[in-house]
Amino acid sequence: PAGLKRFFEEYPFVCLEQKTSVAIGLRDATRWQQVLDAMPTYLDTNGLASYFPGAGGNGNPGSPALTAYLLDASHAAGFDIPPELAQRMERGLTAFAEGRIKPEHWSPQSDLVVRKLAAIEALTRRGHKPLSAISSLEIEPLRLPTSALIDWYLIAKRLAGLPDRAAKLAAIEREIRNRLSYLGGHLVFTSERSDYWWWLMVSGDANAFRLIEA
């Protein structure tokens, strides 16, 4: 739509997530190449991406949430990341998901399981099978925000070797259905207010789109 195209064209902010979202939103290969050209300056020594250049400097570790978003969004849009860069980012996410690295991270509440599920989901989207990382997590669908519940659903769908997979999928689907509601023609979640984990770049609208994809 013209309005959405204009929104992206006029968007004034330029962190890595925002530049990536604009390039993907406009389906602009030139902008995406500019993101790729600069991306090495955003990766820390573990391969995790930071919102601004100089990752790892001045106590500024990369973000697993941002790294997962970059791998997820680019793959879903069909925008390639050169293998060397992608593998660095995937190794960083794997190390985080398995607990081998613990990047400093601010949040208003406990969110480690949520961040690890986002990392694991991005890895499974790209063909990895991080079963050891999953085995270390205590996952209770009823207590997850909807973004993490959808991540867990996608992980379970993709990993045929997941123990008790059928039971896990049934529990996830049941909880997702319990949260769904319609207001007019608008798909919403009954948990939408508590689902707004803005520091992890998730919202009710993002959850609705991701659920449609799932």
Side-chain angles (χ1 to χ4, degrees), residues 149-203:
L149 189 63
I150 295 169
D151 284 331
W152 183 216
Y153 179 58
L154 288 166
I155 292 164
K157 284 184 67 176
R158 292 171 184 150
L159 295 183
L162 187 68
D164 300 320
R165 178 171 175 260
K168 287 182 171 68
L169 278 169
I172 299 165
E173 290 175 0
R174 183 166 55 249
E175 179 59 19
I176 289 175
R177 292 178 193 279
N178 285 343
R179 298 185 190 188
L180 286 175
S181 182
Y182 290 90
L183 292 176
H186 186 200
L187 172 66
V188 298
F189 298 91
T190 57
S191 56
E192 194 149 319
R193 180 170 295 182
S194 61
D195 283 337
Y196 183 48
W197 289 37
W198 54 268
W199 66 98
L200 296 180
M201 304 177 295
V202 296
S203 66

Side-chain angles (χ1 to χ4, degrees), residues 21-36:
S21 298
V22 169
I24 290 174
L26 292 174
R27 308 290 299 176
D28 189 321
T30 300
R31 290 177 190 252
W32 177 242
Q33 188 58 51
Q34 292 170 351
V35 170
L36 292 178

